[in-house]
């Protein structure tokens, strides 16, 4: 990381020097590119400010032209724009993440309540099922007894009829 930061600092000095030499016709594209690289390396605005300060100190020692500070400030402002945009995006993402997290928390609570309700329904269904099984056994037993009694009655009726004849 330190090596990347050193290379990035050197690129910044070169880009700033080139920008300052171009004067009023200077393009801020290189500053923006630098800011994108800095953001990709997760540098903060303060890190870029330190790089800018060192670069400006090196350039001031070798140059005494008027307006350098103002043009360097414009270059710096453009260089930190991608970092600041990243921070804004991160803040918006954090807000959205909190909203999603809260919704997830509510859904988790709802799901837990549904699960408890389902478990109660399952217990109730099993109880009813057992009761129906008992009732079915009892009904079969009664039906069997009823058929036995019906056959017995038929035999008795047959015997009575035979005796009457």
């Amino acid at each position: 990381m330190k090596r990347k930061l050193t290379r990035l600092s050197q690129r910044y000095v070169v880009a700033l020097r080139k920008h300052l030499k171009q004067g009023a016709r200077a393009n801020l594209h290189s500053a923006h590119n630098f800011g994108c690289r800095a953001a990709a390396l997760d540098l903060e605005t303060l890190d870029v400010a330190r790089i800018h300060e060192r670069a400006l100190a090196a350039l001031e020692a070798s140059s005494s032209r008027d307006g350098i500070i103002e043009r360097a400030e414009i270059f710096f402002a453009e260089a930190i724009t991608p970092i600041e945009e990243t921070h804004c995006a991160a803040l918006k993402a954090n807000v959205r993440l909190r909203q999603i997290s809260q919704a997830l928390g509510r859904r988790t609570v709802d799901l837990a309540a549904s699960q408890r309700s389902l478990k109660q329904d399952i217990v109730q269904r099993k109880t009813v099922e057992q009761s129906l099984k008992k009732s079915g056994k009892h009904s079969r037993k009664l039906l069997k007894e009823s058929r036995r009694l019906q056959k017995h009655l038929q035999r008795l009726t047959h015997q009575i009829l035979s005796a009457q004849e």
Side-chain angles (χ1 to χ4, degrees):
M1 177 68 177
K2 193 170 186 175
R3 197 179 291 170
K4 286 182 182 181
L5 190 59
T6 303
R7 269 189 265 144
L8 194 64
S9 295
Q10 291 168 348
R11 286 182 186 165
Y12 187 86
V13 171
V14 170
L16 181 59
R17 182 178 289 133
K18 185 177 178 182
H19 175 78
L20 294 175
K21 282 183 183 176
Q22 289 175 350
R25 58 184 171 82
N27 184 332
L28 292 172
H29 185 69
S30 60
H32 186 78
N33 285 343
F34 174 85
C36 290
R37 284 188 197 119
L41 290 174
D42 291 329
L43 294 181
E44 299 289 330
T45 304
L46 190 56
D47 298 323
V48 177
R50 286 186 196 112
I51 292 171
H52 177 76
E53 182 182 24
R54 284 187 226 119
L56 196 56
L59 292 176
E60 281 182 340
S62 65
S63 174
S64 61
R65 292 189 295 195
D66 293 330
I68 288 177
I69 301 295
E70 291 79 15
R71 288 195 311 273
E73 286 175 0
I74 293 168
F75 187 86
F76 173 72
E78 184 64 25
I80 64 169
T81 300
I83 296 171
E84 295 302 318
E85 288 171 351
T86 302
H87 290 309
C88 290
L91 291 174
K92 288 178 184 175
N94 281 341
V95 167
R96 181 71 181 132
L97 182 62
R98 270 190 238 109
Q99 290 171 343
I100 290 171
S101 181
Q102 288 173 348
L104 183 61
R106 287 190 301 271
R107 288 181 180 176
T108 301
V109 168
D110 292 345
L111 182 61
S114 293
Q115 191 174 13
R116 282 191 302 274
S117 175
L118 284 172
K119 283 182 179 180
Q120 288 173 350
D121 290 349
I122 288 170
V123 168
Q124 186 178 19
R125 182 187 55 81
K126 285 182 178 181
T127 304
V128 168
E129 193 175 286
Q130 287 174 351
S131 177
L132 283 173
K133 282 182 182 179
K134 285 180 182 177
S135 174
K137 285 179 183 178
H138 184 68
S139 294
R140 282 191 293 278
K141 185 178 176 184
L142 289 176
L143 181 62
K144 193 175 182 181
E145 180 67 21
S146 172
R147 285 183 181 156
R148 188 186 65 74
L149 288 173
Q150 187 178 13
K151 284 181 182 180
H152 183 68
L153 275 175
Q154 284 176 348
R155 271 188 257 126
L156 286 177
T157 304
H158 192 286
Q159 286 175 354
I160 291 173
L161 287 174
S162 293
Q164 282 178 352
E165 286 178 6

